[in-house]
Amino acid sequence: MEEIQVGRISDFFAKPVVAGVELHGTVKTGDLIRIKGATTDLEFVLASMQIEHMSVAEAKEGDLIGIKVPDRVRPGDHVYKVIE
């Protein structure tokens, strides 16, 4: 498996458990995502994302998206798309 860096965490909100991601690449719903940082290592399927509170199926470089995450992440954590 290969991991391509597609973004970085910019914000984290505990309720609901949502992260803001600044994208450097393209992601779409259904992608396998991995978030890694000093104390973070999560892998999950991207179920949904939003831009400006509107649901989108795909986002590209330069977009700022909100995604639901299974656990706490921290600003500065790296976001990867896992390619099988």
Side-chain angles (χ1 to χ4, degrees):
M1 286 196 292
E2 180 187 357
E3 294 179 356
I4 300 168
Q5 187 172 344
V6 292
R8 187 146 93 213
I9 301 296
S10 59
D11 292 295
F12 173 75
F13 306 96
K15 292 187 187 330
V17 185
V18 172
V21 181
E22 296 172 1
L23 286 180
H24 312 305
T26 303
V27 293
K28 51 183 179 273
T29 53
D31 283 348
L32 184 58
I33 298 295
R34 185 164 190 197
I35 301 177
K36 287 165 66 171
T39 57
T40 309
D41 194 352
L42 300 174
E43 195 171 281
F44 59 96
V45 173
L46 184 58
S48 66
M49 62 184 148
Q50 294 185 335
I51 299 175
E52 300 283 331
H53 306 288
M54 300 286 290
S55 290
V56 294
E58 189 169 346
K60 63 189 181 324
E61 182 174 356
D63 286 342
L64 182 58
I65 62 171
I67 61 172
K68 285 188 178 158
V69 289
D71 205 349
R72 180 174 183 79
V73 297
R74 286 150 189 86
D77 287 352
H78 296 280
V79 180
Y80 300 89
K81 179 164 54 174
V82 180
I83 310 292
E84 297 192 32

